[in-house]
Amino acid sequence: MQRILLPLEPLLQLVGGQVNGMPEPSPRVLEAIAAVDAQVACALKERGALICDVRCRPKWRASRIPGALNVQMDQLREFDLARLAKKDTPMVFYGEGHGSYDAAVAVRRVHAWGYRGACWLPAGLTGWIAAGYPAETPRQRRLRSAQDYGFPPTMVAEAG
């Protein structure tokens, strides 16, 4: 099976990444979806890509790619996405681990709405962490928030 990668290829060339040829859980559904590895996802994130976590809210709260939005499949609507991103905005969708089907389906859905910059991180959060990239936890968010307001990290650590 051959993938159609035209919409995302120029963006990937910009960041110096390559499309990842990881195994896919459902070739029929995923044939036109660009899959990227953690390195490319990180480069896209650094260049302002919208990072979308499709896992349930409790898992998203517990740990996520820093700055990721929680975009659950049952709540993914074109109208809401239009408030967050333009049609050419790069987006990375991910789930829990290798072959997250929900994230792939989300990319397929947003492609149908005309968002051609969306791609899939098949390795998910576990692959992101395994590649050496950080995950954001509730404690880290509290520390960052406290520091934004001028509180020393030790005050937050003692309280939380």
Side-chain angles (χ1 to χ4, degrees), residues 4 24 28 39 49 53 59 64 99 113 134 137 140:
I4 301 168
E24 302 167 345
R28 206 179 270 280
Q39 181 182 4
D53 185 328
K59 286 185 177 185
R64 62 179 173 244
W113 296 336
T137 63
Q140 290 167 325

Side-chain angles (χ1 to χ4, degrees), residues 105-126:
V105 171
V107 170
R108 179 76 178 215
R109 186 179 292 177
V110 301
H111 274 200
W113 296 336
Y115 292 89
R116 297 295 177 195
C119 60
W120 174 44
L121 176 59
L125 180 63
T126 56

Side-chain angles (χ1 to χ4, degrees), residues 1-4 22-33:
M1 170 182 34
Q2 189 173 6
R3 291 180 170 195
I4 301 168
M22 292 180 146
E24 302 167 345
S26 176
R28 206 179 270 280
V29 172
L30 307 177
E31 64 189 18
I33 296 175

Side-chain angles (χ1 to χ4, degrees), residues 61-125:
R61 283 184 180 140
S63 180
R64 62 179 173 244
I65 292 175
L69 302 173
N70 187 224
V71 183
Q72 298 173 50
M73 281 300 296
D74 61 343
Q75 298 171 358
L76 183 58
R77 306 282 185 264
E78 185 175 8
F79 173 76
D80 295 328
L81 191 57
R83 294 186 314 182
L84 296 172
K86 295 179 180 179
K87 296 282 184 175
D88 62 348
T89 300
M91 294 179 239
V92 177
F93 286 81
Y94 73 92
E96 187 66 40
H98 180 70
S100 171
Y101 184 71
D102 282 352
V105 171
V107 170
R108 179 76 178 215
R109 186 179 292 177
V110 301
H111 274 200
W113 296 336
Y115 292 89
R116 297 295 177 195
C119 60
W120 174 44
L121 176 59
L125 180 63

